[in-house]
Amino acid sequence: MPARSAVITVMDRAARKAGRSLARDFSEVEHLQVSKKGPADFVSKADQRAERILYDELLAVRPGWGFLLEEAGEIAGEEGMPRWVIDPLDGTSNFLHGIPHFAISIAVQEPKPGGGWGEVSAGMVYQPLTDDLFWAEKDRGAFLHDRRLQVSARRNLSETLIATGIPFKGHGDLDRFNAIFNAVAPQVAGIRRFGAASLDLAWLAAGRYDGFWEADLQSWDVAAGILIVREAKGFVTDFRGGSQPIERSEFLAANDAIHSKLHKIVAGALRG
């Protein structure tokens, strides 16, 4: 059983408390589907409630740390202190439609000595309805609860299951997505779009998926998931193979062999 650090324990408690709030709210969504007002306002409030719980819980135990929040934006902490990067409800559309696939994502980002933000040192993705708790710390490995994770060992692209996200109204570059999809799809066993990037990455770390690509994601969507994949011995780059995918908002992840093959396909599709 891995020894959990104090920061992981803090994240665990906060995620579970916010998760209980989301689970209660999710149980009400199906009853709102037939109302004239609809569930959209309710879900927005559920998102905000979860974020507030996370903020209050984490602030209480790390009062000098900053925050980057999906809803409330950036809240500065004390100089030289880390910050929390938080998505309180990744998979909002799933939640809105009563689909039980969503998660809380929390990461710890370290400050750079000269200013700005550097590496993520800890990350957690929590799926409240299944009680799956994925977490990792820099150089200490990735875990599902207390079981160590490692990415899939598949080497043949034809056997792989790949996760992605599909552009939708007002979001993303559909032409770029179609170019990549048309190049990848004929060479793999399947492509899945489940609607929560944090869980896509956590499932990749657990070996459930063999690869992942998506663009136009925010840092709070992926900060925790990227660390979890890398600590599970996976690779995460941008579409051109760069090591800072958040800067380009391009994300390509897999084990070493599959990543190399996917990278060639994706790069070729973008050149074409």
Side-chain angles (χ1 to χ4, degrees):
M1 181 179 296
R4 295 193 180 192
S5 69
V7 74
I8 292 296
T9 299
V10 165
M11 295 164 74
D12 185 340
R13 290 174 180 169
R16 290 182 185 279
K17 186 170 183 179
R20 288 192 292 273
S21 175
L22 286 176
R24 285 193 299 269
D25 287 338
F26 183 74
S27 69
E28 298 297 321
V29 169
E30 64 179 346
H31 302 300
L32 298 173
Q33 298 290 346
V34 295
S35 71
K36 290 183 179 179
K37 187 175 182 181
D41 290 342
F42 178 83
V43 171
S44 177
K45 289 182 173 61
D47 196 341
Q48 293 166 8
R49 274 192 292 271
E51 183 169 282
R52 186 70 202 194
I53 290 169
L54 293 168
Y55 175 79
D56 289 344
E57 290 291 311
L58 297 172
L59 182 66
V61 292
R62 295 291 189 274
W65 290 22
F67 288 82
L68 179 61
L69 301 155
E70 182 190 20
E71 297 297 321
E74 187 169 7
I75 300 173
E78 296 176 10
E79 185 176 353
M81 299 296 282
R83 70 175 179 180
W84 303 103
V85 180
I86 295 172
D87 189 342
L89 176 54
D90 183 26
T92 307
S93 293
N94 286 343
F95 194 101
L96 175 64
H97 289 272
I99 297 171
H101 188 78
F102 54 88
I104 294 165
S105 178
I106 310 171
V108 176
Q109 190 173 27
E110 302 295 333
K112 290 181 178 178
W117 295 100
E119 69 179 13
V120 171
S121 59
M124 181 171 289
V125 174
Y126 180 56
Q127 191 173 13
L129 299 185
T130 61
D131 194 40
D132 279 348
L133 187 80
F134 302 88
W135 60 277
E137 288 188 273
K138 180 73 174 175
D139 299 324
R140 296 193 63 201
F143 301 86
L144 171 55
H145 299 299
D146 295 322
R147 177 173 65 83
R148 186 177 289 273
L149 299 179
Q150 187 165 330
V151 292
S152 163
R154 290 188 179 88
R155 319 298 283 181
N156 296 323
L157 202 58
S158 62
E159 299 173 352
T160 59
L161 190 64
I162 309 297
T164 191
I166 302 172
F168 53 91
K169 183 178 180 181
H171 182 90
D173 185 334
L174 187 58
D175 289 338
R176 179 173 61 171
F177 171 82
N178 284 336
I180 297 172
F181 181 89
N182 289 335
V184 172
Q187 302 195 48
V188 301
I191 294 177
R192 299 289 182 269
R193 199 278 197 215
F194 278 8
S198 63
L199 282 172
D200 287 343
L201 290 166
W203 285 18
L204 174 63
R208 300 176 186 179
Y209 290 135
D210 303 295
F212 168 82
W213 94 86
E214 190 167 353
D216 303 310
L217 295 168
Q218 300 296 326
S219 57
W220 49 76
D221 296 319
V222 296
I226 288 173
L227 179 67
I228 293 169
V229 170
R230 287 175 171 168
E231 288 297 313
K233 301 183 179 179
F235 289 78
V236 188
T237 69
D238 62 32
F239 291 165
R240 292 155 182 79
S243 63
Q244 302 297 324
I246 288 178
E247 293 181 3
R248 296 187 62 92
S249 194
E250 297 174 349
F251 305 91
L252 184 66
N255 67 28
D256 56 347
I258 299 303
H259 185 279
S260 177
K261 294 173 182 178
L262 281 177
H263 175 231
K264 289 178 182 177
I265 295 170
V266 170
L270 294 178
R271 284 195 302 269

